[in-house]
Amino acid sequence: LAQTQSCNPRALEKSLIRQLGGSPVATLEAWASDSPLIEKNATPFEQTIYDGINPLTAPVLWFAQTEPSIRLAGHLIGIDKLGHFIENGHDYYLLHRQEKRSAKELLRFGIFLEMTLFGIPTSGVLSFADSAANWEGFNFWSQMTEGERPYFKCVDSRYLQIRSFTWADYVSDLWDEAINCSLFRSDIRAIVQRNFAIEGLQCPMELKPCEALARLPNAQYLVGPECLRAAGVKPQFNYTK
């Protein structure tokens, strides 16, 4: 619990992000990666769908390799989603609070990031699961002291936590890249498709969850085209432009 000397929402926010966030790896993500309390599934890079990636054409993906997976609130996710939730979600919140960005602008910003700084040009991957974790992180930060279900209430000039945190409020199949499939740059896509064929895999690996995801608000921004099509929904956006 963050300690503040008065009911100053900005001080509370800064205290929490200092304890949980950070870049390039958020403190929460680093803790989960190192903690023996968290059961993790780490797959060697050469056994993943990215086996054969050229470090010269996808340096971020090559050097970062792939994060281990964990089961969180009943969903299998990459541990990097914790950093997206805390750090990138806070970035969204700052854009909303300081620059008055609307929800739609934030959702578009998430796709922009995946198509520029953090995705296609550097890793060759556009991850809708990352964008979904960013978005839910924004929802988390927006609920600190505001909204219908805030986490903290001011009592006698001190913040009192009135709501318990549970990952189940935020984590869903949107965060699972085996269901909410990523898009790939052409050279990466060829490698991934080859590895899928060798292993007899497909994405989405389960079709039924996509039906539920396609009905979610903002699905066109948070659900990948492959999952939308599996649910019989036509994607609105052309990500190849």
Side-chain angles (χ1 to χ4, degrees), residues 80-99:
D80 64 301
K81 301 301 179 286
L82 302 181
H84 281 278
F85 178 83
I86 289 296
E87 186 64 28
N88 296 101
H90 185 249
D91 291 339
Y92 279 33
Y93 177 68
L94 291 179
L95 286 172
H96 174 70
R97 179 168 60 80
Q98 297 176 351
E99 301 184 17

Side-chain angles (χ1 to χ4, degrees), residues 113-210:
L113 289 179
E114 287 295 317
M115 295 189 73
T116 54
L117 298 177
F118 301 131
I120 291 294
T122 53
S123 69
V125 181
L126 194 169
S127 173
F128 293 91
D130 286 356
S131 291
N134 296 348
W135 175 250
E136 291 298 348
F138 162 68
N139 291 329
F140 165 72
W141 287 106
S142 298
Q143 296 164 346
M144 283 299 105
T145 59
E146 306 167 75
E148 296 180 358
R149 298 178 60 220
Y151 283 99
F152 296 95
K153 178 181 179 181
C154 187
V155 178
D156 296 330
S157 298
R158 303 281 290 186
Y159 275 122
L160 176 68
Q161 186 171 350
I162 59 173
R163 172 185 171 188
S164 297
F165 176 84
T166 172
W167 283 108
D169 286 342
Y170 304 100
V171 182
S172 71
D173 286 328
L174 285 172
W175 295 32
D176 185 342
E177 294 188 7
I179 295 173
N180 193 13
C181 311
S182 301
L183 290 181
F184 305 99
R185 199 175 61 210
S186 59
D187 57 322
I188 306 299
R189 183 170 62 249
I191 291 171
V192 169
Q193 289 176 339
R194 181 201 67 191
N195 291 332
F196 271 179
I198 292 173
E199 298 296 332
L201 300 174
Q202 66 176 16
C203 193
M205 290 188 176
E206 298 180 57
L207 301 181
K208 191 170 183 59
C210 289

